[in-house]
Amino acid sequence: MKLKIAGFLLLFLFILGACSSAESTDSEQTESSRKETEKTEVLTGNTFDLVAEEAAHSLNSEVHVEAWTFNNSVPGPELRVKEGEEIKINLKNKLPDPVTIHWHGVPLENNMDGIPGVTQNAVQPGDSYTYNFTASVPGTYMYHTHQDGVNQVDKGLYGSLIVEPDEVSYDQDYVMMLDEWMSNPVTMDMANMNHENMSGMEDSEESAEEKSMADDMSNYDIFTINGKSGDEVETLTVKEGEKVRLRLANIGFMSHQIHLHGHDFKVVAIDGQEIKNPDDIKDQLLSIAPGERYDIEFTADNPGEWYLECHGEIEGTKGMKARIQYENQENESTDKPNDTIDLPKFDFMTYGEDKKAAFTLDQIYDVEYTMNLNTEAKNNATVYTINRKTYPDTDNIQVEKGDLVKVKLVNKSDSEDHPMHLHGHFFQVLSKNGKPAEGAPILKDTINVKPGDEYIVAFKADNPGNWLFHCHDLHHASAGMVSLVSYKDYIVDFSPDPDVNNKPE
Ligand SMILES: [Cu+2]
């Protein structure tokens, strides 16, 4: 018996030793071979190379994370193309996991949408893949991996795609990508889980605990603008008299309430779609949900240094601030952050001038569909459901080319927003909680449905394929809240490979 115990003890010590030595080699390697991220580049033209690779990234002077990047920066390169240009992007995967690129908001051909298992097979480590499409609609878009997005996007695998119109009406143009990070990252890392298991924790306990930690949004304690937080956020410089366009794009999993100080501004586009005759507004918060983009314009007519900042009471908020600095400014700035005060929220349901819209509430539609979005407990885990089902068992919205489609989105969850994103199409927002939209027609690809709210949207089925319609809080998507708009008779041009670990949600 004693011998047996000694044997076990030896075995245990041996495993412990093997474990810790493997770990130290790993971390030494990490330190010596991993590079640091560089500044995000702006790339123009029509052909781009994007390399998915690992790099060490500093969120601020204290917090450094292991990021997954495109071209060694977070965000990846800002791609600027001209309206109507045919563009080509070569993706090379140098990461240990498969990846794809989804062109968020861009209306393109279905086989270029970058959805593993739905429009292509995930691009394996060491492999390459080429995307090409026409940048037909000017506006602010994003690109990001759509493979295991809840983990991969969270690590920094994203960037912006700006389709510039033929005629540009502004002097300065800045993109600001909003995101959240954890100073103590919780990952679903297999090696980590095995290690934990050795210390006697049950597999199921461990994964349940990790899952609930990852779901708990309070772990996201650092908010970033273009990958940086606090003093590290780049200052925007403007000259007096200039017309400035800011493109605010939320790639994170939380909504952010953005306040521009010191200036009247117009919301000129939402989700890449221009708004007709926008009014000047001031001191209103733009609530920007995951997946949404807001383009604002203002005239630099108030010299000084001004904040553009996130409002709210939670931990990460204070780091999400950019300074807008006038060139050759002589006076000391007197602007102060006021991120905890409450301000009225911008409402796109009543904004802009009422112009004849493509769709109305009472016209006849070929397809009408209701999506009840909910949170449920299944097998000790929280799942996110559409009509009580989770992906891939959710019902497809079946359409034929040319169909006019009306969708009612209802959030039945108690406390969580569901920013629902449709691929390949823009929809028009017709009503909110039974009240018809009043201002300019609002076209979007992402709509944030808050608990208890109901929106009706409409679109024309004019782009054949299989298109995801899913929650862009990717925690919710990965836990079921995904469905497909599926065109009858559409045949995919690839064979889904069961061995490549396609993870579309
Ligand atoms: Cu959701």
Side-chain angles (χ1 to χ4, degrees):
M1 188 64 189
K2 261 187 188 164
L3 203 70
K4 246 187 184 173
I5 294 172
F8 271 123
L9 197 68
L10 266 174
L11 186 69
F12 176 69
L13 286 173
F14 174 75
I15 291 171
L16 202 71
C19 228
S20 59
S21 75
E23 224 170 51
S24 69
T25 322
D26 196 34
S27 66
E28 274 161 28
Q29 251 181 10
T30 302
E31 272 167 36
S32 61
S33 65
R34 201 154 291 168
K35 39 188 183 175
E36 301 264 333
T37 51
E38 285 159 28
K39 197 171 178 295
T40 298
E41 279 188 294
V42 179
L43 302 179
T44 56
N46 54 24
T47 305
F48 306 97
D49 294 317
L50 292 180
V51 179
E53 56 192 328
E54 290 178 278
H57 180 67
S58 308
L59 301 172
N60 57 33
S61 56
E62 278 144 31
V63 181
H64 313 280
V65 291
E66 295 301 324
W68 284 16
T69 74
F70 287 115
N71 295 11
N72 200 29
S73 67
V74 178
E78 180 179 318
L79 309 181
R80 283 195 171 264
V81 304
K82 294 282 179 217
E83 173 181 1
E85 191 95 62
E86 277 187 41
I87 63 175
K88 182 167 148 185
I89 301 101
N90 304 306
L91 163 66
K92 169 85 183 166
N93 183 10
K94 290 190 179 176
L95 288 168
D97 282 6
V99 299
T100 65
I101 303 179
H102 166 61
W103 308 94
H104 181 104
V106 179
L108 38 56
E109 286 185 15
N110 191 237
N111 62 1
M112 290 292 124
D113 202 40
I115 312 305
V118 179
T119 67
Q120 68 170 97
N121 285 308
V123 183
Q124 299 301 300
D127 284 0
S128 297
Y129 194 86
T130 299
Y131 295 92
N132 48 62
F133 54 90
T134 303
S136 53
V137 183
T140 304
Y141 303 97
M142 304 191 282
Y143 63 89
H144 63 81
T145 178
H146 222 290
Q147 165 77 8
D148 186 22
V150 66
N151 288 310
Q152 293 194 356
V153 175
D154 222 25
K155 288 181 177 172
L157 218 42
Y158 60 76
S160 62
L161 169 67
I162 308 304
V163 181
E164 294 177 344
D166 288 337
E167 276 184 39
V168 169
S169 62
Y170 35 83
D171 307 300
Q172 293 277 2
D173 183 352
Y174 288 107
V175 180
M176 305 172 93
M177 295 194 82
L178 314 178
D179 196 7
E180 315 89 29
W181 298 74
M182 299 181 198
S183 51
N184 291 303
V186 180
T187 58
M188 314 281 180
D189 190 77
M190 285 313 286
N192 190 22
M193 279 165 107
N194 291 339
H195 180 72
E196 290 290 333
N197 286 345
M198 270 182 210
S199 65
M201 205 181 240
E202 291 288 322
D203 197 357
S204 57
E205 274 176 38
E206 169 62 20
S207 47
E209 191 199 25
E210 290 213 347
K211 193 175 168 343
S212 69
M213 280 169 81
D215 281 350
D216 181 356
M217 299 305 254
S218 66
N219 285 302
Y220 288 107
D221 54 351
I222 299 179
F223 294 179
T224 56
I225 298 176
N226 294 337
K228 298 286 178 183
S229 187
D231 291 341
E232 309 279 306
V233 177
E234 198 185 348
T235 297
L236 314 182
T237 54
V238 300
K239 286 195 194 82
E240 191 172 354
E242 276 181 339
K243 205 171 188 191
V244 183
R245 189 177 184 111
L246 302 180
R247 302 170 184 268
L248 302 155
N250 190 348
I251 189 64
F253 302 153
M254 297 166 84
S255 286
H256 296 290
Q257 323 303 321
I258 300 296
H259 180 209
L260 170 67
H261 287 204
H263 298 81
D264 291 352
F265 66 97
K266 291 178 166 69
V267 179
V268 291
I270 298 181
D271 294 358
Q273 293 282 303
E274 227 177 277
I275 294 175
K276 302 274 178 267
N277 302 313
D279 321 312
D280 268 324
I281 54 178
K282 196 179 187 209
D283 293 327
Q284 287 189 15
L285 295 180
L286 296 174
S287 182
I288 307 178
E292 284 190 312
R293 291 89 65 208
Y294 281 72
D295 292 13
I296 65 171
E297 274 184 22
F298 66 91
T299 302
D301 57 2
N302 195 4
E305 188 184 79
W306 300 98
Y307 283 100
L308 177 129
E309 60 173 7
C310 181
H311 275 226
E313 305 274 353
I314 54 175
E315 169 78 12
T317 309
K318 58 184 182 293
M320 190 176 263
K321 289 181 198 319
R323 278 179 291 249
I324 298 168
Q325 168 86 58
Y326 280 67
E327 272 180 33
N328 310 318
Q329 162 228 340
E330 279 159 28
N331 303 332
E332 278 278 298
S333 174
T334 55
D335 188 28
K336 295 258 183 324
N338 59 3
D339 47 84
T340 55
I341 67 161
D342 207 16
L343 290 169
K345 274 188 192 165
F346 170 74
D347 181 9
F348 60 71
M349 295 299 290
T350 57
Y351 188 67
E353 192 181 295
D354 191 3
K355 278 255 173 78
K356 194 162 164 37
F359 298 105
T360 60
L361 274 170
D362 46 16
Q363 75 185 83
I364 292 171
Y365 289 90
D366 303 295
V367 176
E368 296 192 19
Y369 193 81
T370 298
M371 291 169 105
N372 289 305
L373 311 167
N374 211 344
T375 312
E376 294 175 41
K378 243 181 217 172
N379 306 328
N380 282 338
T382 302
V383 294
Y384 292 85
T385 57
I386 300 174
N387 298 337
R388 310 218 60 186
K389 293 177 182 170
T390 54
Y391 186 79
D393 300 324
T394 44
D395 299 320
N396 293 346
I397 303 179
Q398 289 282 351
V399 300
E400 277 181 69
K401 192 175 181 203
D403 278 353
L404 304 184
V405 186
K406 185 163 92 170
V407 181
K408 186 197 279 186
L409 299 139
V410 189
N411 184 345
K412 294 180 176 280
S413 295
D414 290 334
S415 61
E416 288 166 290
D417 289 7
H418 299 305
M420 296 298 292
H421 172 54
L422 173 61
H423 291 208
H425 306 74
F426 296 104
F427 49 75
Q428 186 189 325
V429 185
L430 299 180
S431 72
K432 177 185 181 183
N433 300 334
K435 201 165 177 271
E438 283 172 16
I442 298 294
L443 295 176
K444 295 178 81 10
D445 52 61
T446 308
I447 188 145
N448 190 27
V449 192
K450 289 186 165 291
D453 278 356
E454 171 196 304
Y455 283 95
I456 295 176
V457 304
F459 65 93
K460 183 172 183 182
D462 57 3
N463 194 5
N466 295 310
W467 300 100
L468 258 58
F469 200 163
H470 69 99
C471 185
H472 222 278
D473 179 337
L474 299 183
H475 296 293
H476 300 180
S478 65
M481 198 172 273
V482 177
S483 65
L484 283 181
V485 171
S486 175
Y487 282 65
K488 281 172 201 153
D489 306 322
Y490 181 78
I491 296 162
V492 295
D493 65 353
F494 79 107
S495 308
D497 183 341
D499 299 326
V500 300
N501 189 27
N502 287 320
K503 283 180 144 185
E505 69 292 324

